[in-house]
Amino acid sequence: MGIPPADDHEDQGRDRTGQAEAFDAIGDRYDEAFPHKDGQVRAGEWLVETLPAGARVLDLGCGTGLPTARQFTDAGLRVTGVDLSAGMLAQARVNAPAADFVQADFADLTEGGPLAPGSFAAVAAFFSLLMLPKDEIPGTLRAIHGLLEPGGLLAVSMVEADLDNVPIPFLGHTIRVSGYLRDELRHVVVDAGFEVIKEDSYAYAPASTDVPPEEQIFLSCRRA
């Protein structure tokens, strides 16, 4: 995701219009900037290997559908992808045609939203929660907990950084991001009702020259 150090903070509430417009404009350049997603693929493999064939999986913040939505559909899982960006979803429908896609804000995933409680065997949230202010992330994790069936799985990743809703330059646009140091991330996930089964981390250098190297944290979790 490429998060540089920054300390500017401005409360934007839940108006994420600018976030969606930035990713609409970035389009397939996102996959060009992040061509090798080994950590994400391996975390996806954990879900594929653990889940039964035909299990229902939510790809939260699915982006272009690569690699995760297509990885899951290729493995015979039933996939629903959610993203705020209509442009990203248009590409995802091409890249993973066997999946279903829903345009929605993560804040709408509470009870009464577009997805039924307890309807997923697993959720993948790869670098999607970092698009939220920190005060929204615990509630979003609790909403994910509610979307999972008992014992359901969560694969979540973040870039390690102590940031809260900070504007950064990203592929010619400005987006706002948050991040945790790894111990704090584990604490937030556990507080939301998950057992952390394993943790992996990867040093990652994006292909884009305007996105700096980063440390990516992947947590494999189970609904407690």
Side-chain angles (χ1 to χ4, degrees):
M1 193 61 232
I3 299 179
D7 57 11
D8 181 33
H9 175 84
E10 180 183 347
D11 186 5
Q12 297 293 304
R14 284 185 173 172
D15 181 4
R16 283 184 271 275
T17 305
Q19 302 278 66
E21 290 175 348
F23 280 95
D24 286 346
I26 288 166
D28 58 9
R29 290 193 298 126
Y30 182 87
D31 289 324
E32 293 172 3
F34 297 88
H36 306 296
K37 302 174 183 174
D38 294 343
Q40 186 168 331
V41 170
R42 289 184 186 125
E45 287 173 349
W46 172 70
L47 291 179
V48 168
E49 293 166 358
T50 307
L51 295 168
R56 194 166 178 218
V57 182
L58 175 63
D59 184 4
L60 188 59
C62 61
T64 66
L66 298 177
T68 301
R70 189 158 75 187
Q71 179 185 20
F72 289 164
T73 57
D74 286 350
L77 300 174
R78 292 182 296 152
V79 179
T80 298
V82 171
D83 206 282
L84 187 61
S85 165
M88 287 287 180
L89 288 173
Q91 294 188 61
R93 291 186 178 99
V94 174
N95 291 327
D100 296 319
F101 294 99
V102 177
Q103 185 176 4
D105 190 307
F106 297 166
D108 298 329
L109 300 182
T110 55
E111 188 172 351
L115 304 175
S119 58
F120 293 96
V123 174
F126 295 133
F127 308 109
S128 49
L129 298 183
L130 59 80
M131 296 295 170
L132 304 176
K134 274 188 174 179
D135 63 1
E136 292 186 34
I137 293 175
T140 301
L141 284 166
R142 289 192 294 272
I144 291 171
H145 187 280
L147 292 173
L148 286 166
E149 62 188 32
L153 304 179
L154 168 65
V156 61
S157 65
M158 295 277 283
V159 174
E160 185 172 25
D162 186 13
L163 300 174
D164 185 9
N165 202 29
V166 171
I168 65 165
F170 185 72
L171 300 179
H173 299 269
T174 299
I175 61 173
R176 307 187 72 88
V177 297
S178 300
Y180 294 104
L181 301 180
R182 64 186 62 222
D183 287 346
E184 186 183 8
L185 176 60
R186 289 179 67 101
H187 181 76
V188 170
V189 170
V190 169
D191 275 359
F194 292 95
E195 172 195 1
V196 177
I197 298 170
K198 66 174 181 174
E199 174 186 321
D200 296 297
S201 63
Y202 302 87
Y204 188 86
S208 172
T209 57
D210 76 339
V211 180
E214 59 194 28
E215 188 73 15
Q216 299 179 345
I217 306 170
F218 290 82
L219 300 181
S220 301
C221 312
R222 188 182 304 276
R223 174 179 158 164

